[in-house]
Amino acid sequence: YPAVAAMVTLALIPYLALSAAMDPLVPIISEQLHMSTQAMSLGSGLGNAAYAVGTVLAVQFAQHLPQRRMMLAYAVLLVVGSVLAAAAQNGGMFVCGHVLQGLATSMLLIAAAPPLTIGFPRANLRHTAVIMNMCVFGAVALGPFIGGVQAEANAWRPLFWIVAGIALVALVMAALTFEDAPPAD
């Protein structure tokens, strides 16, 4: 249970906290990547849209493909998107990475939560509810503070590299907790 709980936490928190942390970082990212405010806004909106679309796609994939195998693919996608965003040399690279982060996080929500919520006895349900609430609501609440700290330091890349590192640890945890399962019925 602790390993699966850690995997879910590491998979869900980074993008949710990051999306909430973006507002104070917009001027810094825009300046360094030579993006207009509108381009940054569009990139953020596309990341949020990808988060929404990812949920629908992941539910459809779960009905036809082995969900745990797909979870590994989603975790790889999160790492790739996080590295692209952190290493961005221009606006297009940044937006592409941020969109992949949103898409992968949403897909991981659908693929990673079931092993935690239904894979263990009911006695763990209270702990599971706390973990899921902290992943979703805690990350969003923590984001503005983290963004403010980074903006005060006039830097954004350290935060994005930390997110990429967390995504890599989530991928490792997903691989370590892997138990193959057929598509959902």
Side-chain angles (χ1 to χ4, degrees), residues 62 65-70 115 178-184:
L65 302 168
Q67 194 167 350
R68 292 300 299 244
R69 292 180 196 177
M70 295 306 296
F178 181 79
E179 290 179 15
D180 207 6

Side-chain angles (χ1 to χ4, degrees), residues 15-16 19 40-58 95-107:
Y15 176 78
L16 295 173
S19 63
M40 275 299 296
S41 179
L42 178 65
S44 183
L46 287 172
N48 290 337
Y51 187 84
V53 168
T55 302
V56 176
L57 287 175
V95 170
C96 182
H98 192 63
V99 167
L100 287 177
Q101 285 177 314
L103 181 70
T105 299
S106 179
M107 294 174 117

